[in-house]
Amino acid sequence: MDFTPTEEQSAVQELAARIFGDLSTHERLAAAGSGTDAELWKALCGAGLVAAVEEVGLLGLVLALEEQGRTTAQVPFAASCVYGVLALTAHGTAGQRGRLLPALRDGGAVVTGAFPARGGGVRASTEGELSGVVPVVPWLRDATHVLVPDAEHALWLVRVADAQAEPLETTAPWSAGRLTLHRAPAERVGGAEAYEDVLATARTAFAGLQAGVCAGSLARAVQHTTTREQFGRPLSTNQGVLLRAADAYMDTEAIRVTAYEAAWRRDEGMRYGTHALTAAWWASEAGTRVVHAGQHLHGGLGADVEHPVHRHFLWGRQLDAYLGCGAELLSELGELIVAERGPSLGSDRVEGVGASREARA
């Protein structure tokens, strides 16, 4: 395996770092409240970062999302790229891609996802109409379309205008909403394998976002403890502080490398479902530890909800909840490993884009 970014992927990461660093400042984030920074989103789309995901793949997106996470920038970048660009590129028909991808590239359309599927949550009729309620959909207030899995794990694309979207406030500023569907017209996206692939892609991408959130939290903690003095010396000279920061660094690196591996395997057309679950587990479990450590290392300042590090704490906890708690992910991972090695499945199990190609090889 080789996680070395291509020239194009490195260029995307550098451009993302520059745009997020310039525009996603603490002052702008505070002014935006819980909504999306429309100017930043326009800048990202105008720079071609959304369109570039088609070329640089999931690993390129993960690299860019790390930069978003470092600044906790309030834009639907991950959602629209995962549930829109990558989902349609992999599973959409030629008509769907031709109609929707141009608008997604320039920001004229935004897709979010009602993921993961919940038992009995959404039902599809034989006429292709959806009914049901999804209590929380991140970035729903920004979206023009929603990718919705039904109870049978079939994927459907719904226009927000054909559904009922109610604003919903969460601790993280993700422009979330409650989605209510009552015989809403929808178009099918992909076949039976599409749900598992999009879910694995989302887990990988949001793990990459969590890696950036943790890196940003740790960087703030390092800056604080090296400049703040106690008893005439920097806090960073205390062994307890050093050990806590070192543990947070190792956790962050574990999130990063597992996200890289899952993304690389998808881009190479290899099995990656178990790797996506592994990345999600690290992002959930270790991500929580890192943002708690970042807040703790700020001492009393960490309790100030207006301090920048508090935003990393909220994002880390929200991503933990969105990815699923560690125990759930570990249980699912164990079941998947057992199923893959079970004699009843053999080598025909399809898991993620390119799995059938690898099985034939």
Side-chain angles (χ1 to χ4, degrees), residues 72-281:
T72 60
Q74 295 173 199
V75 286
F77 187 38
S80 202
C81 288
V82 168
Y83 301 121
V85 176
L86 292 178
L88 290 172
T89 299
H91 303 288
T93 64
Q96 288 170 333
R97 294 194 299 269
R99 186 176 74 253
L100 293 168
L101 285 178
L104 287 170
R105 294 176 191 130
D106 63 20
V110 173
V111 179
T112 190
F115 275 67
R118 301 297 182 187
V122 175
R123 302 171 304 281
S125 70
T126 55
E127 294 80 20
E129 296 176 329
L130 301 185
S131 297
V133 177
V134 184
V136 182
V137 180
W139 294 285
L140 181 61
R141 284 178 276 165
D142 297 326
T144 57
H145 298 75
V146 187
L147 191 64
V148 182
D150 65 19
E152 304 300 322
H153 288 186
L155 290 186
W156 303 86
L157 193 64
V158 181
R159 293 195 316 145
V160 174
D162 294 327
Q164 181 181 352
E166 306 170 59
L168 186 69
E169 294 296 332
T170 66
T171 55
W174 291 356
S175 298
R178 174 187 175 92
L179 180 69
T180 302
L181 303 163
H182 180 65
R183 302 193 66 180
E187 54 181 316
R188 183 71 184 268
V189 176
E193 79 290 346
Y195 172 77
E196 294 297 336
D197 175 55
V198 174
L199 178 59
T201 301
R203 282 168 166 163
T204 304
F206 284 99
L209 184 61
Q210 181 77 302
V213 170
C214 292
S217 174
L218 183 57
R220 291 188 181 281
V222 169
Q223 193 276 335
H224 173 76
T225 56
T226 54
T227 57
R228 186 68 173 261
E229 292 189 356
Q230 187 179 54
F231 305 118
R233 61 177 186 173
L235 291 172
S236 60
T237 59
N238 294 316
Q239 188 179 42
V241 171
L242 290 171
L243 292 174
R244 192 77 186 274
D247 286 342
Y249 173 78
M250 294 303 297
D251 274 338
T252 301
E253 288 301 296
I255 300 169
R256 177 181 289 117
V257 74
T258 52
Y260 284 5
E261 182 178 11
W264 173 79
R265 290 180 66 90
R266 181 192 188 275
D267 291 344
E268 292 296 314
M270 302 168 68
R271 291 175 180 265
Y272 74 107
T274 53
H275 301 80
L277 271 167
T278 301
W281 181 83

Side-chain angles (χ1 to χ4, degrees), residues 197 266 268-272 350-360:
D197 175 55
R266 181 192 188 275
E268 292 296 314
M270 302 168 68
R271 291 175 180 265
Y272 74 107
V350 175
E351 180 202 334
V353 170
S356 58
R357 190 190 329 155
E358 186 191 45
R360 288 194 299 270

